[in-house]
Amino acid sequence: MTDARTPAEQLAARIVGTWQLLRCEAPLEIEPDTRMEFCNDAQLMYLIPTATGPLQVTLRWRVANGMLHTVHEDGSNPVQVRIALGDADVLTFDFGGPRAWYVRLV
C-alpha cells in the first residue's frame, strides 16, 4: 500500500512528538536541554531552560518544500528553516549555514 500523503505531509507526521537539543553549531546560541513539542494540531511548544524554570513559547507550525514554517500564535515573527529527519531519528534544522540537531524523547 502506498502513502498518498505528500512528502511534506509525511515529514510533518513523522516529527510530531517531543524533541530535545542534541547540539548546535556557532553562532547559534540555543540553550542546552531546549525542547520542542510538535503537536498534531499544528501547535509547537518551544521550551527554553532558564534559571527560574522553562520559558514556554507557543507557535503555530507547518512543513512545506523541506522547510519548517513557524509563527507566533498572534501572527508575529514568522520564521522559516530547512528541516530534515535523518538516520537514527535525528531532526536537523539548517539556518542557512549553522545547524542544530535534535533527538526524539521517548
Side-chain angles (χ1 to χ4, degrees):
M1 187 163 150
T2 60
D3 192 337
R5 297 176 297 178
T6 67
E9 291 168 332
Q10 291 175 28
L11 179 57
R14 291 180 62 206
I15 67 171
V16 169
T18 304
W19 299 82
Q20 182 170 328
L21 180 68
L22 177 63
R23 69 183 181 98
C24 66
E25 296 176 326
L28 299 175
E29 294 181 359
I30 302 172
E31 291 294 321
D33 297 325
T34 293
R35 295 182 181 190
M36 294 183 289
E37 182 178 345
F38 290 90
C39 303
N40 278 319
D41 63 359
Q43 187 174 51
L44 170 57
M45 308 304 279
Y46 192 65
L47 300 165
I48 305 163
T50 69
T52 59
L55 170 64
Q56 179 176 305
V57 179
T58 304
L59 306 168
R60 304 297 295 166
W61 71 277
R62 68 182 176 85
V63 175
N65 300 318
M67 302 290 284
L68 173 68
H69 301 262
T70 62
V71 63
H72 282 255
E73 289 195 318
D74 65 5
S76 67
N77 197 33
V79 174
Q80 297 180 52
V81 60
R82 184 147 310 279
I83 184 173
L85 186 56
D87 296 337
D89 218 19
V90 174
L91 188 58
T92 303
F93 296 90
D94 182 340
F95 293 87
R99 295 171 293 171
W101 292 268
Y102 286 76
V103 293
R104 185 183 299 277
L105 293 181
V106 180

